[in-house]
Amino acid sequence: MSNVGHRFSALAEAVGGEWLACHGDPLIAHLHIDSRKPFAAEDNLFIALKGERHDGHRYLADLHARGMRAFLVSEAVKTSALPESNVLRVPDTLDALQRIAAWHRGHYHGPVVGITGSNGKTVVKEWLFHLLRDSEHIARSPGSWNSQVGVPLSVWALQAEHTLGLFEAGISRPGEMNRLRAVIHPTIGVFTNLGPAHGEGFKDDHAKALEKALLFEHADAVVHCADHAEVVAALRALGIDQRALLLGWSRERNGWLHVVREEVLPFGTRIRVLNDAVEFAFDIPFTDQASAENALHCVTLLLHLGRSPQWIAERMPHLPAVSMRLETVEGIHGMTLLNDAYSNDSASLAIALDHLNALAAGRPKAVVISDIIGGAGDDTVRHARVEQLIRHAKVSAVFTIGPELKEQAFTSAVRVEHFTSAEELLARLDPASLEDHAVLVKGARAFALERIVDRWQRQVHGTVMQIDLEAMRHNLNHYRSLLAPGTRVMAMVKAFGYGTGALELARLFMHEQVHYLGVAYADEGIELRQNGIDLPILVMNPEPVPMDVLHRFRLEAEVYDERSLNEAVRFARLHHDAPPIHIKLDTGMRRLGFTEEELPRLMSLLKEAGPLRIASILSHLSAAEDPQHDAFTRGQIALFTRMSEALCAVLGYRPMLHIANSAGVTRWKEAHFDMVRLGIGLQGIGVDAPETGHLKHASALRTVIAQIKSAADGTTIGYGRHGVVRGERMIATVPMGYADGLSRRLGNGAGRFWIGGHSAPIVGNVCMDMCMVDVTGIPCAVGDVALLFDAAHPIGELAKAMGTIPYEVLTSIPQRVKRVYLRS
């Protein structure tokens, strides 16, 4: 994130520390913590954060080679490797980052709103921005940046010309909020609610409420729901009610804002409230209780800021649905589309460009972007900032929509074209000219850029599988936290990435710097290579693929018998740059691999293998997840150790050893060896319920209601007339059938969809392309979403209903079902 900047010497004075190298006093406008992200050479400071699984100090030399010249570190570094650089050493770089942001916050004297709570923080912040942006120049947290790192990076963007700051703060353990309070230092607080989220680190709800309420210790006013007893108790226990104006809204009593009535209407909800003896109503385009609560928080704050009831009533009906994530969809002509077509401002653009860089994985990048509409401040400055961000992101093609950005030159881009509307772009721009590009589509809602995404995306089947890449990243980091330093990770992307899309997962894992990818067959690896994936790839399953094909695409073969070993040896003798191989041992799976009885022959062959390179020795655990078979698993690990040690003695060197799958990582530390293979765990499916609680469910399968009909008693439903209606029922047809992966085993009440949070059992047999569900008593309409599984209704429950395992459910979803990738 960036601002107009401070001299490095001023930041050093704010945080203390020791100069390891000093060459001038550069202006610091941009703070960086991720070495993978692009940056311009000027005005940057890299802060080398350290964590359990990462250390920014490892990348200093690479950053210097790319032009970085200012570093904040906590370790002694060889400054000779960083010539002409400014290097400041502090005891703790995270603490220094927070101190820098707090010091910077101290230079701002306008109102700052700090938002915390278990849920709704991002929605409330985005709605306040939407409501106030035409009258205020607002700095706000991008996306859901509310962590110990995200908050200081967000506050760093606060500048003197801003008239309001909106920042959210999230915590998960005691002691964290004091640090964030010093950074945000809110003058106004919003406490959204208190729920089960992030409760693991606290002994009870009262302790969690107290920790969150610490954000408001020096606030002048606090917005909250007066009906939430724990929230009120926490504010009183800290004495905040004695120092600040408590702006409580209530449905149950006479609060500062009293809710008189709530009425669900066809277009949304009408809420009537009373404040300071003035009663008025406003409408919101949502019907759920969470949206009503979020809206009441916003209205309470708007009244405190002096907005009139009429002003509020005019704007509330236009509240947008807040998408917490960017959507990635597969486009025509090999494009990958990053859809952020509903908002446009410099803060969210910076986040979207970061995601575009990760998505591109070395491919050319293009941006379709509209003018920024509304907002206080100088339009020229805002649009110049857009050009600066696009230049830093090294975007090669820029397509603007609207009259304002037409004035920007975008000189860093190879290709720049300007259009007046989305329709003109679609009429004039040939999408084939963007073949194999990663394309960000970002614009203000008024420009309707979603039409570009609709036209350029490859598939239009109404059934969609959503894959949460941030959940995947979370799960990867969970397993990494269980490993000893230096233990490598292979991410399994076989079988179309367990049904969730091998290519997009491979791009994510490459960005996250895993060490290997695992595929089942050579074709899968070839497709990854053809799409720019350059991580080492292990091909694990047998098929008659010539070694020269593997060689051409730099794929590494699993060798599991004498025939495959002899072929690898023959090829290595003819080609000095032949790819290394991986030796598979059978320690009890009885599937593929050399057995213990075959070990002497294998050792003899390896002695004569000449130039053949062995990258790893591996095996498979048969039942690592099941305590009932722990003795067998323990025997497998012991056998693998014996056999691999014997092979290492023959080879004269030690290849990597790996046997642990996701369950093995969790339950068998002694099986970690040099590398582990992660598969189903990355999808958020743990070895047991406690571990699954630490993971995030990564996928959802959804469709929409196509038609609703009434059915009289005795009516038969579907092929074979197996569904028989009892009583008057309402039956909905949804366009998902067994050709979409919906097993016929789920017919006749065995399976169900979830519509509006209600269970809708499947009636009759599942058809090829659709099925029928009972929606009697469920408020729904044509076009409403019908979920088969998601985080709230996990895939494990569906697998149980089918009498199978989650692997089969995921891998049976065909590629005709569109995959949409979500990024926070």
Side-chain angles (χ1 to χ4, degrees):
M1 301 303 294
S2 68
N3 61 30
V4 293
H6 301 282
R7 292 293 171 187
F8 200 176
S9 60
L11 301 185
E13 186 175 346
V15 301
E18 168 194 5
W19 286 107
L20 301 183
C22 188
H23 294 271
D25 190 12
L27 186 72
I28 302 298
H30 305 271
L31 302 182
H32 293 269
I33 62 168
D34 190 339
S35 63
R36 299 165 297 190
K37 293 180 179 178
F39 58 86
E42 70 278 1
D43 303 343
N44 294 281
L45 172 64
F46 179 74
I47 302 174
L49 298 181
K50 292 184 67 173
E52 291 183 5
R53 310 308 306 172
H54 65 268
D55 185 354
H57 296 84
R58 299 174 186 167
Y59 310 107
L60 301 183
D62 174 66
L63 287 162
H64 182 273
R66 291 162 52 200
M68 186 71 69
R69 291 295 182 268
F71 301 91
L72 186 66
V73 301
S74 60
E75 293 183 354
V77 299
K78 292 180 61 175
T79 56
S80 60
L82 308 171
E84 299 180 356
S85 295
N86 291 275
V87 184
L88 181 67
R89 183 182 182 186
V90 295
D92 183 333
T93 47
L94 174 59
D95 178 68
L97 168 63
Q98 294 171 342
R99 286 175 179 269
I100 287 171
W103 174 81
H104 171 71
R105 165 68 180 88
H107 291 73
Y108 179 77
H109 304 293
V112 171
V113 179
I115 306 169
T116 194
S118 296
N119 303 104
K121 299 183 290 294
T122 301
V123 173
V124 169
K125 180 201 67 190
E126 292 301 314
W127 281 359
L128 288 171
F129 174 77
H130 175 82
L131 293 161
L132 292 165
R133 64 182 179 180
D134 290 335
S135 56
E136 304 282 356
H137 188 192
I138 301 172
R140 79 190 198 279
S141 310
S144 54
W145 281 28
N146 56 35
S147 67
Q148 297 290 310
V149 173
V151 168
L153 290 176
S154 300
V155 171
W156 176 255
L158 188 64
Q159 301 182 39
E161 62 264 28
H162 288 119
T163 60
L164 180 67
L166 299 173
F167 303 107
E168 54 179 292
I171 51 100
S172 58
R173 58 176 63 90
E176 291 184 335
M177 191 58 87
N178 274 328
R179 303 178 74 167
L180 298 186
R181 181 188 64 228
V183 175
I184 300 175
H185 197 79
T187 58
I188 304 170
V190 178
F191 199 141
T192 58
N193 58 29
L194 194 71
H198 314 299
E200 304 85 13
F202 301 94
K203 65 178 182 179
D204 53 32
D205 283 349
H206 182 64
K208 183 165 61 172
L210 284 172
E211 180 71 19
K212 290 180 180 294
L214 285 171
L215 177 63
F216 314 126
E217 201 155 37
H218 304 299
D220 300 321
V222 180
V223 173
H224 66 288
C225 176
D227 301 333
H228 292 173
E230 286 288 7
V231 172
V232 174
L235 295 172
R236 289 175 177 169
L238 294 173
I240 294 172
D241 61 326
Q242 302 300 312
R243 301 186 295 273
L245 175 63
L246 294 191
L247 307 172
W249 63 265
S250 174
R251 293 185 174 100
E252 300 173 1
R253 57 184 66 86
N254 292 325
W256 190 84
L257 180 75
H258 179 61
V259 181
V260 177
R261 184 181 178 191
E262 296 171 86
E263 182 182 3
V264 176
L265 301 171
F267 55 79
T269 304
R270 177 163 295 161
I271 304 175
R272 182 167 293 277
V273 295
L274 178 68
N275 170 252
D276 198 21
V278 176
E279 185 173 313
F280 67 97
F282 60 89
D283 298 332
I284 60 172
F286 306 98
T287 58
D288 60 288
Q289 280 295 302
S291 293
E293 286 203 3
N294 292 333
L296 286 163
H297 288 309
C298 292
V299 168
T300 304
L301 180 58
L302 293 170
L303 289 169
H304 176 66
L305 293 176
R307 270 48 177 193
S308 69
Q310 181 182 354
W311 187 97
I312 292 169
E314 288 173 353
R315 288 161 175 77
M316 295 300 287
H318 306 294
L319 289 175
V322 176
S323 175
M324 312 289 272
R325 295 155 179 167
L326 305 175
E327 288 188 348
T328 304
V329 296
E330 187 178 355
I332 56 178
H333 304 297
M335 288 189 289
T336 304
L337 304 175
L338 186 59
N339 181 15
D340 194 13
Y342 301 101
S343 67
N344 199 17
D345 60 88
S346 60
S348 63
L349 175 61
I351 298 299
L353 288 169
D354 282 345
H355 285 303
L356 180 67
N357 181 58
L359 178 67
R363 294 178 298 158
K365 291 172 280 191
V367 171
V368 177
I369 186 168
S370 79
D371 289 348
I372 297 176
I373 294 180
D378 189 320
D379 288 345
T380 303
V381 172
R382 284 205 304 273
H383 289 120
R385 173 66 174 148
V386 169
E387 180 169 4
Q388 179 189 40
L389 289 168
I390 286 176
R391 182 175 70 252
H392 286 181
K394 296 180 172 60
V395 173
S396 60
V398 178
F399 308 100
T400 72
I401 296 178
E404 302 295 335
L405 283 175
K406 187 176 182 179
E407 303 303 317
Q408 300 301 131
F410 296 102
T411 54
S412 63
V414 175
R415 180 183 180 188
V416 180
E417 298 180 34
H418 303 286
F419 303 91
T420 59
S421 65
E423 289 85 353
E424 183 189 2
L425 180 145
L426 288 170
R428 288 178 42 205
L429 179 60
D430 182 3
S433 67
L434 296 175
E435 184 175 3
D436 200 36
H437 279 60
V439 182
L440 168 64
V441 180
K442 183 162 181 63
R445 183 177 294 269
F447 287 94
L449 300 194
E450 66 273 12
R451 284 175 288 184
I452 298 172
V453 177
D454 290 343
R455 185 80 63 84
W456 286 359
Q457 64 182 343
R458 190 171 71 85
Q459 296 174 328
V460 294
H461 184 31
T463 297
V464 172
M465 187 176 188
Q466 292 181 327
I467 297 97
D468 185 342
L469 296 181
E470 291 304 313
M472 290 271 191
R473 189 197 315 272
H474 168 89
N475 298 338
L476 171 64
N477 289 332
H478 165 77
Y479 286 106
R480 278 176 161 167
S481 71
L482 303 178
L483 304 175
T487 305
R488 300 187 175 198
V489 171
M490 178 185 293
M492 303 305 299
V493 294
K494 63 180 181 176
F496 194 52
Y498 286 64
T500 55
L503 181 56
E504 291 305 325
L505 265 59
R507 287 173 177 152
L508 170 70
F509 297 141
M510 186 164 72
H511 185 68
E512 293 301 310
Q513 300 180 350
V514 303
H515 302 91
Y516 261 86
L517 298 175
V519 298
Y521 296 103
D523 287 350
E524 296 173 328
I526 291 170
E527 182 181 6
L528 296 180
R529 286 285 185 253
Q530 290 174 333
N531 283 279
I533 302 302
D534 59 9
L535 285 174
I537 298 175
L538 169 60
V539 180
M540 302 191 74
N541 282 7
E543 60 176 351
V545 176
M547 287 295 295
D548 65 313
V549 174
L550 299 176
H551 181 210
R552 190 182 331 140
F553 290 99
R554 296 178 291 113
L555 303 176
E556 301 175 18
E558 176 182 288
V559 167
Y560 54 90
D561 63 6
E562 188 169 339
R563 179 200 58 80
S564 56
L565 177 58
N566 286 335
E567 175 63 16
V569 170
R570 182 196 65 78
F571 191 82
R573 286 172 175 160
L574 295 175
H575 302 274
H576 66 88
D577 60 345
I581 65 162
H582 301 253
I583 296 178
K584 177 68 173 292
L585 304 179
D586 184 354
T587 58
M589 187 78 145
R590 293 300 181 260
R591 190 169 63 179
L592 291 175
F594 294 93
T595 65
E596 188 173 24
E597 292 74 22
E598 295 169 318
L599 187 61
R601 176 60 177 164
L602 173 60
M603 295 167 65
S604 176
L605 291 171
L606 289 176
K607 288 178 182 178
E608 306 299 326
L612 183 69
R613 293 180 294 147
I614 313 298
S616 80
I617 303 170
L618 70 148
S619 188
H620 270 77
L621 295 176
S622 303
E625 74 284 356
D626 192 344
Q628 180 178 327
H629 299 294
D630 280 358
F632 185 85
T633 301
R634 199 169 289 111
Q636 278 195 277
I637 298 169
L639 178 57
F640 178 67
T641 301
R642 292 196 307 273
M643 293 177 70
S644 58
E645 286 179 352
L647 293 177
C648 291
V650 168
L651 293 171
Y653 61 92
R654 189 179 190 275
M656 289 185 297
L657 308 182
H658 52 108
I659 190 174
N661 55 7
S662 299
V665 172
T666 304
R667 299 193 66 240
W668 297 95
K669 186 175 182 179
E670 61 268 41
H672 292 181
F673 292 101
D674 303 301
M675 185 163 66
V676 299
R677 303 189 299 268
L678 298 178
I680 198 69
L682 294 170
Q683 304 288 336
I685 300 168
V687 69
D688 52 26
E691 180 177 65
T692 300
H694 291 293
L695 301 173
K696 292 186 178 181
H697 199 281
S699 57
L701 187 59
R702 56 190 293 170
T703 187
V704 293
I705 296 175
Q707 189 177 32
I708 301 176
K709 296 179 179 179
S710 61
D713 182 53
T715 301
T716 59
I717 308 293
Y719 284 121
R721 304 183 67 200
H722 289 174
V724 181
V725 168
R726 300 301 180 200
E728 295 289 329
R729 313 299 292 176
M730 297 300 294
I731 304 297
T733 301
V734 296
M736 186 189 299
Y738 56 78
D740 303 300
L742 181 67
S743 172
R744 293 186 82 247
R745 285 173 280 177
L746 295 171
N748 299 297
R752 66 198 62 234
F753 283 79
W754 297 90
I755 299 173
H758 301 277
S759 171
I762 296 173
V763 181
N765 288 329
V766 174
C767 307
M768 179 182 289
D769 304 300
M770 61 193 76
C771 68
M772 285 66 77
V773 298
D774 188 340
V775 295
T776 306
I778 300 175
C780 61
V782 170
D784 284 357
V785 171
L787 284 162
L788 186 62
F789 61 80
D790 65 355
H793 309 98
I795 197 169
E797 296 178 1
L798 179 66
K800 186 176 181 181
M802 291 171 57
T804 186
I805 56 177
Y807 296 81
E808 180 182 348
V809 177
L810 285 169
T811 57
S812 66
I813 300 169
Q815 294 190 39
R816 86 168 189 173
V817 174
K818 181 171 69 177
R819 269 68 173 177
V820 174
Y821 298 91
L822 306 179
R823 297 170 182 265
S824 297

